Amino acid sequence: MSGISIVRFEPINTPSFTSVTHHYKFQSNFYHHIELAMGVTTYSDEYTSPIPPARLFKALIVDSHNLIPKLMPLAVQSIEITEGDGGAGSIRQINFAEGSQVKCIRNRIEELDEKNCSYKYSLIEGDGLMDKLEKITYDVKFEPTADGGSKNKMTSTYYTKGDFVLTEEEIKTGKEKALAMYKVVEGYLIQNPDAFA
C-alpha cells in the first residue's frame, strides 16, 4: 500500500430539494446531474476510470468491507455484515473512526449483480440519515469503455420527510466525500495491478 494517501472521509450528511435541474462538469472525467423536486431529490454522477469494471466493482463493492477500513483507517473503523450473507437483503453497518461527526450508518443491499457489475442499496439507519430523511437509495453500474477502463454511473435518490428541502450544497458536499473514497480505491488499484485481477 505504499504511496496510498490516507483520506479523512466523513459520511454523507444527507440533503434536500426544490424543483430545478443542474448540470456540473467538474473535471473532464466527472459528470454530475441534480434533479430537485418536492419530497424526492435525484442526483446522478458519471465517472470514468482506467480500471476495468470487474476489478473496480470487486474492490469498491464486493470486498469493500475488507479494503476500505485498510485504506482509510482515519475515516472508517470497520464495515460489518450484520444480517444476511452479503447479498440482496443483507444489512451492512459502516462504523466510522473515533472523532467523526457520524458514528455509524446501516445500509440494506437491494441488489448485487457481480456478473453485470451493478449494485443497489439503501441507507436506512444511523446518524447520517438525520431525522429529516426517510431513506436514500443508491443505484450503481460499472460499464466497460473502449480503452479497457470503465464508465461508472451512480444515481442517488433522497426521500425527505415533510417539507424538508435539501440544498444543492448539502448534496454536493456529501458527494465530494464519497468521491474521495472512490479515488483512494482507484489509486490503490492503479498502484497494485494484481489486486482484484
Side-chain angles (χ1 to χ4, degrees):
M1 285 193 294
S2 61
I4 291 296
S5 52
I6 301 300
V7 174
R8 181 106 184 135
F9 170 75
E10 294 289 343
I12 294 173
N13 277 336
T14 50
S16 194
F17 30 72
T18 27
S19 177
V20 188
T21 297
H22 298 281
H23 297 271
Y24 297 95
K25 191 90 171 178
F26 291 104
Q27 298 173 1
S28 60
N29 61 340
F30 300 110
Y31 174 77
H32 303 274
H33 172 80
I34 303 175
E35 286 186 16
L36 303 164
M38 192 55 73
V40 178
T41 300
T42 300
Y43 187 105
S44 300
D45 300 293
E46 265 188 28
Y47 310 112
T48 57
S49 172
I51 307 296
R55 275 189 80 207
L56 207 50
F57 190 78
K58 282 181 199 169
L60 269 171
I61 308 297
V62 179
D63 201 46
S64 63
H65 58 288
N66 292 316
L67 185 62
I68 300 299
K70 290 177 187 171
L71 295 182
M72 304 179 74
L74 297 178
V76 179
Q77 183 177 27
S78 64
I79 301 175
E80 307 165 19
I81 306 296
T82 58
E83 292 177 33
D85 59 4
S90 298
I91 304 294
R92 184 176 73 157
Q93 181 169 307
I94 302 170
N95 300 303
F96 295 100
E98 197 174 321
S100 294
Q101 288 179 326
V102 175
K103 292 176 188 152
C104 72
I105 56 174
R106 287 167 57 96
N107 296 327
R108 181 179 55 243
I109 299 170
E110 312 290 356
E111 298 170 20
L112 177 63
D113 185 343
E114 290 187 55
K115 183 179 177 187
N116 294 302
C117 296
S118 64
Y119 179 55
K120 185 174 182 179
Y121 67 101
S122 298
L123 172 61
I124 56 167
E125 200 177 301
D127 298 331
L129 195 52
M130 304 187 310
D131 56 354
K132 297 171 179 150
L133 295 167
E134 290 176 20
K135 66 177 179 178
I136 309 170
T137 61
Y138 301 91
D139 210 333
V140 184
K141 176 76 175 160
F142 295 73
E143 299 175 344
T145 56
D147 62 1
S150 56
K151 184 191 329 184
N152 312 303
K153 301 176 181 178
M154 181 171 179
T155 301
S156 310
T157 306
Y158 301 82
Y159 298 86
T160 58
K161 295 178 180 177
D163 14 343
F164 175 66
V165 175
L166 286 167
T167 66
E168 278 179 52
E169 258 335 288
E170 288 173 305
I171 295 173
K172 280 173 59 182
T173 299
K175 287 299 173 184
E176 284 163 8
K177 291 170 183 174
L179 178 59
M181 181 172 67
Y182 176 95
K183 297 306 287 179
V184 167
V185 171
E186 181 185 63
Y188 170 78
L189 294 175
I190 289 169
Q191 292 179 14
N192 296 275
D194 295 332
F196 301 96

